[in-house]
Amino acid sequence: MSSVGESKKSEAKSEARSPIGRIDLDNPERKGQFFIEWRVSDPSIAKGVSAIQREVKKLVPDVQLGQSCAVDNMHITMNQLSLGTNVDESKIQQLVAVIKKFETEDFRTIIPNSTSVKMLVSSALSHFKERVIYAPVSSDQEAFKGDVLVECFNCLQKRLVSAGFNPITRPLKPHLTVCKAPAKAKKFDAGMLVKIMKLGDGKSVLGTQWLSELVLCVKRTKSETTPPIIYRVKSKSSNEST
């Protein structure tokens, strides 16, 4: 499994080669799906999640730890849009314009600089329908009261709708996917699920990371490790905000 650092270098090279005009947006594997994501880059989170994954693997040897759970692809999918398989580049440019407006008028107000709000990955493991094990993610409550990613999600949803886009409507529950139930079983055995939940004590964090950017990306193909980035939403740097 690739390290987070190696993945970041590869991602940067990919972006340099792939501005909007060079990404094969018409590739049927992409299905016209676009996302806003918060991506994990801090090694502390990769280390914490990997440790849990190893313990789950001991309990359930055929647990699914595919690319959607890989430490070099850890992320939180936020706003989602389906623009069709034959999306026009002008539509993407329109989408980017909305994202830029969000960046300057919303994101940089919520996140004044790159070290304003720290995200915490909890060890209090939970699950979706006994099928997906996940670690909850929240923000440092001293820096931001409430859920900062949900706040960003709601602001952007409103802007997307106002601009004529039709984002997928569903509440955001910030989390990182740790693993999935074996493909044949489709869900974890009840007794085993209890054992897996106990792997996280709920009192400590698996890792932390400053919230300094979100990314607009398009669905990855099977040959890609991470979805290609179209635009990076950035907070002001510490120098800019002083």
Side-chain angles (χ1 to χ4, degrees):
M1 199 175 283
S2 303
S3 69
V4 174
E6 291 173 342
S7 175
K8 281 301 194 180
K9 290 179 182 178
S10 175
E11 182 180 285
K13 291 179 181 178
S14 177
E15 282 187 68
R17 295 194 303 268
S18 304
I20 293 177
R22 296 181 186 176
I23 298 175
D24 56 344
L25 297 174
D26 292 334
N27 188 317
E29 287 186 47
R30 302 200 189 283
K31 300 180 181 179
Q33 302 291 318
F34 295 81
F35 315 90
I36 288 288
E37 292 183 349
W38 175 67
R39 292 191 173 178
V40 170
S41 58
D42 195 290
S44 70
I45 300 176
K47 182 179 179 181
V49 172
S50 292
I52 294 290
Q53 290 176 333
R54 286 194 296 272
E55 293 305 310
V56 174
K57 185 77 173 175
K58 292 176 184 177
L59 293 172
V60 188
D62 55 346
V63 65
Q64 292 189 74
L65 295 171
Q67 193 55 27
S68 63
C69 310
V71 292
D72 59 357
N73 187 37
M74 286 190 296
H75 63 276
I76 292 176
T77 300
M78 297 171 61
N79 310 77
Q80 304 178 55
L81 302 98
S82 178
L83 300 182
T85 53
N86 296 311
V87 61
D88 189 271
E89 187 175 325
S90 63
K91 193 70 174 177
I92 308 300
Q93 296 287 7
Q94 183 187 352
L95 174 59
V96 170
V98 174
I99 303 299
K100 286 183 176 180
K101 197 81 169 175
F102 161 77
E103 175 183 42
T104 57
E105 297 184 8
D106 299 322
F107 189 68
R108 290 185 174 181
T109 297
I110 299 169
I111 310 295
N113 63 62
S114 58
T115 55
S116 294
V117 180
K118 183 172 284 188
M119 304 305 296
L120 314 172
V121 181
S122 173
S123 63
L125 300 180
S126 191
H127 63 88
F128 290 124
K129 298 180 179 180
E130 302 176 347
R131 190 179 67 85
V132 176
I133 306 298
Y134 70 87
V137 178
S138 61
S139 51
D140 176 5
Q141 292 298 297
E142 291 185 13
F144 186 93
K145 298 298 182 185
D147 197 314
V148 69
L149 289 181
V150 171
E151 180 72 12
C152 290
F153 170 83
N154 290 337
C155 286
L156 189 48
Q157 284 286 88
K158 291 176 182 177
R159 287 193 179 276
L160 290 169
V161 171
S162 295
F165 288 97
N166 187 29
I168 293 175
T169 336
R170 53 122 182 91
L172 176 65
K173 188 170 185 176
H175 67 278
L176 293 179
T177 300
V178 174
C179 61
K180 297 180 180 180
K184 291 183 179 180
K186 296 185 178 179
K187 68 178 184 178
F188 290 99
D189 170 82
M192 187 58 67
L193 196 60
V194 172
K195 292 181 180 180
I196 293 173
M197 294 297 101
K198 289 182 179 179
L199 293 176
D201 60 18
K203 299 176 182 178
S204 59
V205 295
L206 297 179
T208 65
Q209 179 176 313
W210 293 109
L211 173 56
S212 59
E213 74 169 27
L214 303 175
V215 297
L216 168 66
C217 51
V218 64
K219 182 179 175 68
R220 70 182 177 88
T221 63
K222 292 179 181 178
S223 64
E224 294 170 333
T225 304
T226 58
I229 293 176
I230 295 173
Y231 185 78
R232 291 180 181 272
V233 176
K234 290 181 171 288
S235 64
K236 290 182 180 179
S237 67
S238 297
N239 291 335
E240 287 179 297
S241 49
T242 53

